[in-house]
Amino acid sequence: MTPRDPHDADAAVTDSAALPPQASPLPPEPHDGDLDLDLDRGLEGGGDTGDTVLGRRYRALTLGIVTVVSLIAFEASAVNTAMPIAARALDGVELYAYAFSAYFTASLFAMALSGEWCDRKGPLAPLFTGIAAFAAGLLVAGSAQQMWMFVGGRAVQGIGGGLVIVALYVVVGRAYPQRLQPAVLASFSAAWVLPVIVGPLAAGTVTEHVGWRWVFLAIPVLVLPPLAVMLPALRALPPSERSAHMNRRRILLALAVAAGAGLLQYAGQDLSWLSLVPAAAGLALLVPCVLRLLPEGTFRAARGLPSVILLRGVAAGSFLGAESFVPLMLVTQRDLSATAAGLSLTGGGLTWALGSYTQSRPRLEPHRERLMGLGLLLMAVSIAMVLLALIDSVPAWIVAVAWVIGGYGMGLAISSGSVLLLKLSRPEDAGSNSASLQVSDALGNITLVGLSGVLFVTFGGGDVAATGSTASHQPAAFGAVYVAMTAVALVGAWVTTRLRPVAA
């Protein structure tokens, strides 16, 4: 499933992200007469029901946020289930990776835009605009007659998802006291529990008995009620302390990064000499712009926040790069139904929530960096275990076991990184900092899903064209993907040794 960073979105949208760098441990104080949050009492650990995320003061906002995340999570798990059938129906298996990476390419630009928009105007407008774009993308994908139209719909979804995820975390930073923020982040992961149980089964049933299109077309009608629930609290958020002018340079850098990533993906899917032209153009756009978009030292794993940001992309990208090909592998190599293939990922969503809950325990706070290292090691073990499913004598349920392990690792790593970043964020920079974290997430997803797609095609995956119950067996194509993503997860485990900043 997608990063729980709607994420998702797909993913996915889909997860316990956080508000990136700078350095202030406290969230913004509300203005007099604004949202009745009583942050001072919350920070001091007062005693009434208003001091919990589901107390009187926060209940509507929390339920609205969790419902939005749940819908995005449902869409992510449903799409993973329906995607192999949709790709075959549109005769586009060779573009299978594009259906995922297009989402993240578009969301990368939208995240930077949303960060600037939130910092200057507040999160209300980008949140509602993002929800509308997300719903529109679902409609385009569900009505697609060709694979490229389907990929375009996924890109529109990505724009919506990028706007939404940054806006949601700005809301967390502004509306909740610091002591409640880990609980809110853990609730984001908990919001995946029901969708990952119901999503694959519902999507598989709809796909097999009604048609894959309705997996996409039925979701937009569900997005409006949660927004209405939390609208009063969103309107009462304190105004931004920044100027009203957005940083156009940062937005243009994000646009150039997204364009460069798109060109590289295009080149990777067409392995010919002519593909060197878009590849060179993509690199020329991507490399210098991303170096300016993310904090200095990110790509050399400098100690402290740069490594936290880098790790987010490595962890999310390696997991999604492997996960994107799990349903296709089970359908084409092991002859599983779309429903059974989707259900194999369900345990990962459940243990992701469990891992997020585990890291939120106060007694584990001194060991946060070690928790993240353990999480990455569990992810590496999980992805490596999926390789065993390519052996006919090994039961296919080994994938479900593997994803239970990997999901727990992701819960530990992603949510712990979110907490680290929240502690080091200045409230007036919450939007742009959140965008930095999400850009790393999206860039990791784009790069590593794209790499998985290139490896898949290079090792013969383009010939996978299963019809009915007859599968075209290309185990080397899937094996190359899982070996590469295992190696990336191990690199991430090393990066966790760089998370603790150098003492001043």
Side-chain angles (χ1 to χ4, degrees):
M1 61 202 75
T2 55
R4 283 74 180 162
D5 203 335
H7 214 117
D8 282 36
D10 257 304
V13 160
T14 63
D15 61 19
S16 295
L19 307 173
Q22 309 304 331
S24 170
L26 297 178
E29 295 290 339
H31 292 192
D32 291 339
D34 281 334
L35 187 62
D36 183 21
L37 298 180
D38 197 356
L39 294 187
D40 290 333
R41 291 190 61 190
L43 288 169
E44 294 169 4
D48 65 34
T49 57
D51 291 324
T52 70
V53 295
L54 291 177
R56 175 176 53 83
R57 293 180 177 86
Y58 305 103
R59 185 183 300 120
L61 185 60
T62 300
L63 291 178
I65 291 174
V66 169
T67 304
V68 170
V69 174
S70 295
L71 287 173
I72 294 173
F74 179 83
E75 186 272 344
S77 60
V79 165
N80 270 349
T81 302
M83 193 71 77
I85 307 302
R88 291 190 302 175
L90 296 174
D91 193 25
V93 171
E94 70 278 3
L95 300 177
Y96 184 81
Y98 268 126
F100 293 96
S101 58
Y103 180 98
F104 298 109
T105 302
S107 68
L108 192 154
F109 163 69
M111 287 168 185
L113 174 61
S114 184
E116 294 297 321
W117 198 351
C118 288
D119 281 343
R120 270 71 183 183
K121 301 293 185 180
L124 183 61
L127 179 61
F128 276 76
T129 303
I131 290 292
F134 191 78
L138 285 168
L139 295 175
V140 172
S143 59
Q145 300 300 313
Q146 296 179 339
M147 191 62 178
W148 276 110
M149 182 178 177
F150 182 87
V151 170
R154 296 283 292 159
V156 175
Q157 276 187 261
I159 293 174
L163 292 172
V164 168
I165 188 59
V166 172
L168 284 180
Y169 287 106
V170 171
V171 170
V172 172
R174 290 189 181 188
Y176 295 88
Q178 184 188 12
R179 73 175 189 87
L180 293 182
Q181 289 173 0
V184 179
L185 293 174
S187 75
F188 277 41
S189 293
W192 278 77
V193 173
L194 185 60
V196 299
I197 295 174
V198 176
L201 183 60
T205 301
V206 170
T207 298
E208 293 173 11
H209 297 286
V210 182
W212 65 267
R213 296 183 184 279
W214 288 103
V215 173
F216 295 87
L217 296 176
I219 296 176
V221 298
L222 302 175
V223 301
L224 294 179
L227 294 180
V229 169
M230 60 181 177
L231 181 59
L234 291 174
R235 284 178 170 171
L237 286 174
S240 172
E241 298 179 2
R242 280 191 173 186
S243 67
H245 300 289
M246 291 193 286
N247 187 338
R248 294 183 180 180
R249 177 178 177 273
R250 183 177 178 83
I251 295 172
L252 289 175
L253 285 172
L255 181 60
V257 169
L263 287 170
L264 282 175
Q265 291 169 61
Y266 176 80
Q269 293 294 314
D270 180 23
L271 300 179
S272 66
W273 288 108
L274 290 177
S275 67
L276 292 177
V277 176
L283 285 172
L285 281 171
L286 182 65
V287 174
C289 292
V290 80
L291 288 175
R292 291 172 173 82
L293 195 61
L294 296 179
E296 183 180 357
T298 297
F299 293 101
R300 55 182 173 84
R303 287 192 172 274
L305 278 171
S307 286
V308 175
I309 293 173
L310 174 63
L311 186 64
R312 180 57 178 268
V314 170
S318 61
F319 198 69
L320 184 65
E323 185 180 65
S324 298
F325 286 86
V326 168
L328 184 65
M329 183 267 288
L330 292 174
V331 169
T332 62
Q333 308 302 294
R334 301 305 298 265
D335 295 326
L336 267 64
S337 67
T339 301
L343 286 172
S344 69
L345 304 177
T346 298
L350 299 174
T351 54
W352 186 313
L354 179 60
S356 182
Y357 172 79
T358 300
Q359 64 79 35
S360 70
R361 299 301 85 199
R363 65 179 179 274
L364 294 179
E365 179 62 32
H367 310 291
R368 190 160 299 284
E369 292 84 1
R370 292 182 180 179
L371 285 176
M372 296 178 74
L374 175 61
L376 267 295
L377 288 174
L378 290 176
M379 288 167 53
V381 170
S382 169
I383 298 170
M385 286 177 64
V386 175
L387 279 166
L388 299 176
L390 295 171
I391 303 173
D392 291 338
S393 60
V394 175
W397 51 256
I398 191 69
V399 174
V401 174
W403 236 239
V404 164
I405 297 171
Y408 188 75
M410 282 292 281
L412 291 176
I414 296 296
S415 298
S416 291
S418 301
V419 174
L420 287 177
L421 286 166
L422 278 169
K423 290 181 177 179
L424 297 171
S425 293
R426 292 188 304 183
E428 64 269 24
D429 293 324
S432 58
N433 288 348
S434 182
S436 294
L437 180 69
Q438 300 301 334
V439 164
S440 176
D441 190 312
L443 188 61
N445 289 329
I446 292 167
T447 303
L448 296 176
V449 172
L451 174 61
S452 294
V454 171
L455 292 171
F456 183 71
V457 172
T458 301
F459 285 84
D463 296 331
V464 174
T467 57
S469 61
T470 303
S472 175
H473 291 277
Q474 295 289 342
F478 294 99
V481 170
Y482 301 137
V483 169
M485 295 305 105
T486 299
V488 173
L490 290 173
V491 170
W494 172 80
V495 173
T496 64
T497 66
R498 309 276 297 170
L499 297 177
R500 193 178 294 275
V502 177

